[in-house]
Amino acid sequence: MSNLRRESSQEQVLQPNLYHDLFTSPRDIRADYRLSSAFAGRIGGNQRFTISRDDPLFDQIKKDIPDATTDGTWKELCDLRGLAKKDIWKSAIIEFWATLFNTLISGAAGISIAKYGTQYNLSPTTMAAAGGLSILFSLPLFIHAAGPASGGHINSLITIATFTAKLAALPRAIVYVFMQCLGAVAGGFLLRAGLGEADTVGAVVPGCYWAPNAGITNGQAWVIEFSACCTVLFIAFGVGLDPRQRDIFGPALGPILIGVIVGITEFITGIMKPGYTGASMNPSRCLGLVAATQTFRGHWVTWSAGIAAACINGLFYVLIPPYHAEQARDEEKGKQI
């Protein structure tokens, strides 16, 4: 009973930060913070799983894991010594595994829809709707499953965007993108092994390839891809990373809404122009699928448009952050006074 009173009184002294509440008791603070998966760029976390500035170990943690806070400087975030941290690689293995199966499932759905859509003369609207629904239902599940261990990116676009927004360190971004691409390629070739080379090589993968006679130029495809990526990032950051939204959406609803916008965008871009199968919004996934199908034409559009959208999103996020750190500190000081 005395221990409970002691912890309760100490909890009252260590009030959680306005938008950081990873630790709730001194016992947690004394625990090894490397096991806490503190990461500002966790999708759906809305910065709930970051280190509070009230934490006695804040400076030490910020120096060791700069993206465990929202106060990391560019110098700290770009320290490449983080590439040697085992924790980042452990998290990246989850990104590898999740991306592998996401690529496998989405690729199987895409190739099957394109194949049987042509065979049974289905309309482009029907095929685009089927593709959008498959993403809408599957993507949130993968994000939920991977979220606690890695942040649930499963997409190089999201990872690059969290870095440009200063929510992920450069070493984490490098390792995540590498493992996402590796997982996507593994998933693509696993799909190829399952379907057979005859049914895979040259197959049309919706969102990742368009035929030369599709009536759309590389420039037009770049504009569509860039716009789609900006749309997805705007929603993803708004519902899954904005600290003001954590009490509204929480860790559960954010990934679902992200799946909704990706599915809707996939459907809309898939019916924009005859012969064009829609925007990718996930360059690592498409890398694995075009590698397996050997349809690399126009793949540079997927990466360049995605990276450009991530940079624009990061610029807005840094210049106009959803919650100003200075304002938070001022409010904290005002409460103390």
Side-chain angles (χ1 to χ4, degrees):
M1 181 68 69
S2 61
N3 290 335
L4 290 175
R5 289 199 193 97
R6 187 182 306 114
E7 286 190 7
S8 177
S9 62
Q10 287 175 330
E11 285 179 359
Q12 292 175 6
V13 174
L14 293 175
Q15 292 295 330
N17 183 271
L18 290 175
Y19 58 98
H20 303 283
D21 63 352
L22 174 66
F23 296 119
T24 58
S25 74
R27 180 180 55 192
D28 292 328
I29 292 173
R30 289 195 297 270
D32 185 353
Y33 60 80
R34 289 180 179 83
L35 300 179
S36 66
S37 299
F39 176 32
R42 174 175 167 178
I43 293 296
N46 290 310
Q47 300 179 24
R48 181 183 297 272
F49 303 96
T50 53
I51 306 300
S52 170
R53 283 190 291 272
D54 293 328
D55 191 324
L57 299 177
F58 178 79
D59 292 333
Q60 177 185 347
I61 298 173
K62 179 173 175 285
K63 181 179 179 181
D64 191 35
I65 310 176
D67 54 11
T69 78
T70 55
D71 292 337
T73 64
W74 281 117
K75 182 179 180 181
E76 292 171 332
L77 291 169
C78 294
D79 187 352
L80 294 180
R81 287 178 296 181
L83 291 171
K85 295 186 182 300
K86 292 182 180 179
D87 292 336
I88 291 179
W89 285 94
K90 289 178 181 179
S91 297
I93 290 174
I94 302 300
E95 287 290 308
F96 165 86
W97 201 239
T99 305
L100 187 158
F101 288 109
N102 181 50
T103 302
L104 175 65
I105 295 300
S106 63
I111 290 176
S112 300
I113 290 171
K115 177 181 178 181
Y116 291 106
T118 302
Q119 181 177 342
Y120 294 105
N121 198 29
L122 299 179
S123 68
T125 302
T126 301
M127 291 190 288
L133 286 174
S134 68
I135 294 174
L136 188 152
F137 288 113
S138 64
L139 182 59
L141 297 178
F142 281 104
I143 297 176
H144 280 306
S150 68
H153 290 184
I154 322 173
N155 186 340
S156 295
L157 171 67
I158 297 295
T159 298
I160 296 171
T162 54
F163 166 67
T164 59
K166 299 181 69 177
L167 298 180
L170 180 59
R172 187 187 299 273
I174 293 173
V175 174
Y176 273 27
V177 170
F178 171 73
M179 295 299 281
Q180 287 161 354
C181 291
L182 192 63
V185 171
F189 277 90
L190 192 62
L191 176 62
R192 178 168 167 173
L195 292 179
E197 187 172 322
D199 290 331
T200 308
V201 175
V204 175
V205 180
C208 298
Y209 176 77
W210 61 94
N213 58 351
I216 187 169
T217 65
N218 285 341
Q220 291 173 320
W222 194 95
V223 171
I224 295 173
E225 183 71 33
F226 173 78
S227 302
C229 289
C230 285
T231 302
V232 170
L233 289 177
F234 180 74
I235 299 299
F237 273 69
V239 302
L241 290 165
D242 187 341
R244 297 171 301 182
Q245 302 283 37
R246 69 177 188 181
D247 294 328
I248 300 174
F249 299 115
L253 186 56
I256 295 175
L257 297 177
I258 292 171
V260 169
I261 188 58
V262 173
I264 290 175
T265 306
E266 182 69 28
F267 169 73
I268 292 174
T269 57
I271 61 174
M272 290 178 66
K273 200 172 183 66
Y276 178 65
T277 58
S280 162
M281 299 166 285
N282 191 335
S284 49
R285 167 186 169 272
C286 276
L287 174 63
L289 292 175
V290 300
T293 59
Q294 297 298 297
T295 52
F296 284 98
R297 177 186 175 275
H299 183 59
W300 66 271
V301 170
T302 302
W303 281 99
S304 61
I307 292 173
C311 290
I312 292 294
N313 178 80
L315 180 63
F316 278 116
Y317 196 90
V318 171
L319 294 179
I320 315 172
Y323 199 102
H324 298 277
E326 295 79 4
Q327 180 183 348
R329 296 192 186 97
D330 292 341
E331 291 179 2
E332 288 176 354
K333 291 179 181 177
K335 286 186 176 182
Q336 293 174 358
I337 294 173

